[in-house]
């Protein structure tokens, strides 16, 4: 084959210098046609749109043509011409074709609809479908948007440890990291596992959050954000939970709860706007194929200010809904941790826009949140979104050493490994606030996908660590 430098399909489809010689490489989506002419839909992952390759069968070797099947990988030299067919303005008249990789009929992605469940079983191949190509391109764009947003506002990207000896949420649902031989565990006299011989000389886990270390950084660098993998060993088989997911956690010195809410709203609107501006083809495809209201919902989030509401007010609204005959699966009363159905009622039915709920009962929130004067509530905030429920959780942090220490004692949190965290309250403490955004929850919203397993390449869930 004549050596011509490759053009990506996304770039080729924008060109209008018809008659140019081009080379494209990609995978065959479909092949159709008559005895004289075939049309090959080629895709190289750079765009949701396929490139049509027109093949005059008489000009090519029959044996080679037999190898052009769905899934096969081709290199094509040809002439870029104006397309007469509808759907695309550019196509390529093939002059030379090389089959780089054959694909037999056992290839599971033959031309027909596939269920999401089936595609999860072949997660190693699903990025080649239109749907997952779109989702993973959007995933990339959202990551870029996040870094861009914080960088432009003077935040520093701070890397917090993935292996840790502290439990930020006090949740206890952590994956153990060990080099001990599980068949021959040494025990202390009282029967506990002896960690002296372990790699770190003590019990270590995969992190559930980078927040505590992020607070240290914010009290030195002013404004930081983390963006990395986090792990929860919760036995949750829901469409909204993963055991391994990515989290973005900004932490800002001198910000109070109001500043924190402003930042969260500005941040999430920036990300949604970025998707509409930079992933228009992919978003439109997902809108048309999966979720007819997707684009409208994304635009809806941008046009209104988010409602800001205290937990107590939220409970009153839910209680009056129940009094008026609204049925919920879970009970509603002051002090309850709201279920997704309650959050979605406030957002989708009552206010019809995103809601930021604040001032939660301290009993249902983490130990590090700043206590309000009423002694019952803390300066927490949850951002609630349509179709998802909670998408962001955050708070103003307790900056007072005595108050934080007494809350830790009340909750019997083992602080022997956390002395460093308390030091920030002893050495030049300051007001500070932050929040966490589950990256995959943002992606659920932006893509319109129904299950969180479908917005991460290789989902990790209870009893599933394939690929």
């Amino acid at each position: 084959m004549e050596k011509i430098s490759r053009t990506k399909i996304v770039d080729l489809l924008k060109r209008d210098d018809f008659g140019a010689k081009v080379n494209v490489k990609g995978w065959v989506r479909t092949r159709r046609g008559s005895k004289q002419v075939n049309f090959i839909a080629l895709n190289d992952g750079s765009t949701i749109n396929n490139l049509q390759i027109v093949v005059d069968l008489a000009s090519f070797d029959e044996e080679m043509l037999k190898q052009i099947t769905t899934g096969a990988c081709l290199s094509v030299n040809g002439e870029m011409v104006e397309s007469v067919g509808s759907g695309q303005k550019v196509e390529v008249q093939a002059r030379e074709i090389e089959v780089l990789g054959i694909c037999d009929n056992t290839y599971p992605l033959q031309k027909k609809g596939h269920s999401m469940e089936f595609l999860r079983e072949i997660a190693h191949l699903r990025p080649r479908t239109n749907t997952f190509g779109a989702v993973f391109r959007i995933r990339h764009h959202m990551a870029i948007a996040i870094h861009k947003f914080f960088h432009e506002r003077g935040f520093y990207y701070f890397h917090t440890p993935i292996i840790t000896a502290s439990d930020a949420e006090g949740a206890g649902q952590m994956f153990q990291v060990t080099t001990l031989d599980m068949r021959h565990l040494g025990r202390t006299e009282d029967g506990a596992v002896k960690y002296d011989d372990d790699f770190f000389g003590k019990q270590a886990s995969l992190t559930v959050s980078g927040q505590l270390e992020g607070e240290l950084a914010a009290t030195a660098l002013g404004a930081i954000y983390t963006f990395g993998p986090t792990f929860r060993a919760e036995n949750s088989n829901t469409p909204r939970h993963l055991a391994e997911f990515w989290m973005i956690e900004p932490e800002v010195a001198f910000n109070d709860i109001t500043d924190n809410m402003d930042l969260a709203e500005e941040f999430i609107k920036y990300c949604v706007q970025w998707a509409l501006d930079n992933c228009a083809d992919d978003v439109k495809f997902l809108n048309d194929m999966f979720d007819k209201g997707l684009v409208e919902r994304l635009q809806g989030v941008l046009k209104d200010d988010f409602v800001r509401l205290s937990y107590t007010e939220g409970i009153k609204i839910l209680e009056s809904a129940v009094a008026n005959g609204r049925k919920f699966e879970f009970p509603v009363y002051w002090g309850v941790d709201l279920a997704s159905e309650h959050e979605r009622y406030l957002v989708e039915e009552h206010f019809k826009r995103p809601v930021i709920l604040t001032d939660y009962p301290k009993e249902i929130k983490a130990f590090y949140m700043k206590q309000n004067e009423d002694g019952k509530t803390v300066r927490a905030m949850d951002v609630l979104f349509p179709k998802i429920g909670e998408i962001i959780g955050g708070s103003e942090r307790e900056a007072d050493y005595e108050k934080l220490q007494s809350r830790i004692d009340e909750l019997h949190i083992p602080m022997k490994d956390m002395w460093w965290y308390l030091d920030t309250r002893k050495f030049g403490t300051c007001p500070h606030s932050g929040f966490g955004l589950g990256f995959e929850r943002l992606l659920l919203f932006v893509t319109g996908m129904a299950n969180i397993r479908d917005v991460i390449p290789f989902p990790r869930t209870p009893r599933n660590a394939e690929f």
Side-chain angles (χ1 to χ4, degrees):
M1 266 180 90
E2 186 190 344
K3 180 77 177 147
I4 304 170
S5 64
R6 175 186 164 224
T7 303
K8 284 187 179 180
I9 289 171
V10 68
D11 298 325
L12 190 93
L13 292 173
K14 294 175 188 156
R15 284 169 57 174
D16 56 7
D17 54 332
F18 303 117
K21 273 186 167 180
V22 293
N23 168 266
V24 287
K25 294 180 170 79
W27 292 270
V28 176
R29 286 281 205 256
T30 58
R31 177 183 169 186
R32 59 186 177 80
S34 63
K35 284 197 167 69
Q36 287 83 34
V37 181
N38 270 200
F39 301 98
I40 296 167
L42 202 67
N43 190 289
D44 65 1
S46 63
T47 166
I48 191 82
N49 302 306
N50 300 327
L51 175 68
Q52 181 158 290
I53 309 288
V54 183
V55 183
D56 182 355
L57 298 185
S59 312
F60 291 92
D61 171 57
E62 207 172 318
E63 286 308 302
M64 186 276 294
L65 290 169
K66 280 182 187 161
Q67 297 183 332
I68 301 177
T69 56
T70 294
C73 185
L74 308 182
S75 175
V76 180
N77 283 347
E79 196 181 314
M80 198 177 90
V81 296
E82 199 160 1
S83 180
V84 286
S86 62
Q88 71 278 328
K89 68 177 179 80
V90 180
E91 60 189 27
V92 168
Q93 209 82 49
R95 299 283 178 254
E96 296 177 281
I97 298 175
E98 184 187 349
V99 179
L100 300 176
I102 59 170
C103 188
D104 66 23
N105 61 7
T106 62
Y107 181 55
L109 295 173
Q110 299 300 332
K111 187 175 164 49
K112 63 181 175 68
H114 300 283
S115 73
M116 289 291 146
E117 289 72 24
F118 169 70
L119 291 173
R120 274 174 227 142
E121 289 167 19
I122 55 161
H124 61 308
L125 294 173
R126 68 180 184 169
R128 288 212 213 164
T129 62
N130 285 333
T131 302
F132 285 95
V135 167
F136 296 142
R137 279 187 296 272
I138 291 171
R139 187 180 169 104
H140 156 80
H141 268 284
M142 288 294 91
I144 295 295
I146 285 159
H147 286 301
K148 210 168 149 39
F149 174 86
F150 287 117
H151 177 66
E152 286 170 358
R153 284 155 186 77
F155 283 63
Y156 297 107
Y157 180 30
F158 191 76
H159 296 108
T160 54
I162 288 170
I163 299 173
T164 176
S166 58
D167 179 357
E169 295 300 315
Q173 293 155 326
M174 300 177 83
F175 289 102
Q176 302 293 295
V177 176
T178 182
T179 54
L180 293 175
D181 182 344
M182 292 290 125
R183 293 162 305 183
H184 307 290
L185 284 177
R187 302 263 177 194
T188 59
E189 282 173 13
D190 57 2
V193 173
K194 204 168 166 196
Y195 285 101
D196 300 8
D197 300 331
D198 205 351
F199 188 90
F200 295 107
K202 59 166 142 180
Q203 191 175 352
S205 310
L206 292 176
T207 184
V208 294
S209 160
Q211 181 202 312
L212 303 186
E213 294 88 352
E215 286 186 51
L216 306 185
T219 57
L221 298 169
I224 64 97
Y225 69 105
T226 73
F227 185 0
T230 42
F231 307 86
R232 303 275 164 99
E234 278 181 78
N235 192 9
S236 290
N237 267 306
T238 82
R240 305 185 319 131
H241 285 89
L242 290 164
E244 173 186 299
F245 56 99
W246 287 66
M247 193 133 82
I248 299 96
E249 297 178 297
E251 196 72 37
V252 192
F254 317 116
N255 267 15
D256 65 12
I257 187 73
T258 308
D259 302 320
N260 206 28
M261 289 191 275
D262 292 345
L263 181 67
E265 180 166 345
E266 188 190 359
F267 171 54
I268 210 151
K269 283 180 170 175
Y270 181 97
C271 291
V272 169
Q273 187 68 60
W274 184 273
L276 288 169
D277 291 346
N278 295 279
C279 314
D281 286 354
D282 288 323
V283 168
K284 184 182 183 313
F285 171 82
L286 294 168
N287 182 89
D288 296 347
M289 297 301 288
F290 282 92
D291 181 347
K292 299 282 187 266
L294 176 60
V295 172
E296 197 183 334
R297 208 162 46 250
L298 293 175
Q299 289 167 341
V301 160
L302 296 174
K303 74 173 193 292
D304 289 321
D305 290 343
F306 295 0
V307 175
R308 298 184 183 191
L309 191 71
S310 75
Y311 168 91
T312 303
E313 291 298 318
I315 291 291
K316 282 182 189 157
I317 291 168
L318 290 163
E319 283 175 337
S320 84
V322 170
N324 289 322
R326 183 70 160 81
K327 295 270 188 290
F328 290 115
E329 189 186 338
F330 297 102
V332 176
Y333 55 89
W334 198 95
V336 75
D337 204 357
L338 295 181
S340 177
E341 58 171 348
H342 303 139
E343 296 168 340
R344 288 183 61 181
Y345 173 81
L346 291 172
V347 173
E348 293 168 26
E349 297 181 46
H350 189 82
F351 290 107
K352 297 191 168 47
R353 56 190 165 125
V355 172
I356 307 181
L357 220 49
T358 59
D359 302 314
Y360 281 77
K362 70 178 184 182
E363 271 61 44
I364 58 174
K365 287 295 179 187
F367 73 92
Y368 49 72
M369 296 189 178
K370 185 170 179 63
Q371 297 182 40
N372 284 319
E373 282 64 54
D374 63 13
K376 294 191 303 187
T377 61
V378 289
R379 285 187 200 169
M381 63 154 211
D382 283 358
V383 181
L384 313 179
F385 255 44
K387 286 198 84 164
I388 313 260
E390 185 204 330
I391 195 167
I392 283 178
S395 69
E396 185 175 336
R397 317 307 189 188
E398 183 53 77
D400 182 288
Y401 180 84
E402 305 297 335
K403 283 186 180 169
L404 186 61
Q405 183 65 66
S406 68
R407 191 79 185 114
I408 285 164
D409 296 341
E410 258 173 59
L411 295 170
H412 309 296
I413 295 171
M415 286 307 283
K416 69 180 192 316
D417 297 322
M418 301 276 280
W419 57 272
W420 50 269
Y421 180 65
L422 282 165
D423 271 0
T424 53
R425 274 63 173 180
K426 285 201 303 203
F427 307 139
T429 190
C430 68
H432 59 287
S433 300
F435 59 80
L437 166 73
F439 187 44
E440 283 73 22
R441 293 220 177 151
L442 172 65
L443 287 165
L444 271 184
F445 183 72
V446 172
T447 61
M449 300 304 277
N451 193 312
I452 203 157
R453 294 172 175 88
D454 299 329
V455 294
I456 192 167
F458 303 105
R460 300 291 178 247
T461 51
R463 313 201 73 77
N464 173 46
E466 289 301 311
F467 308 104

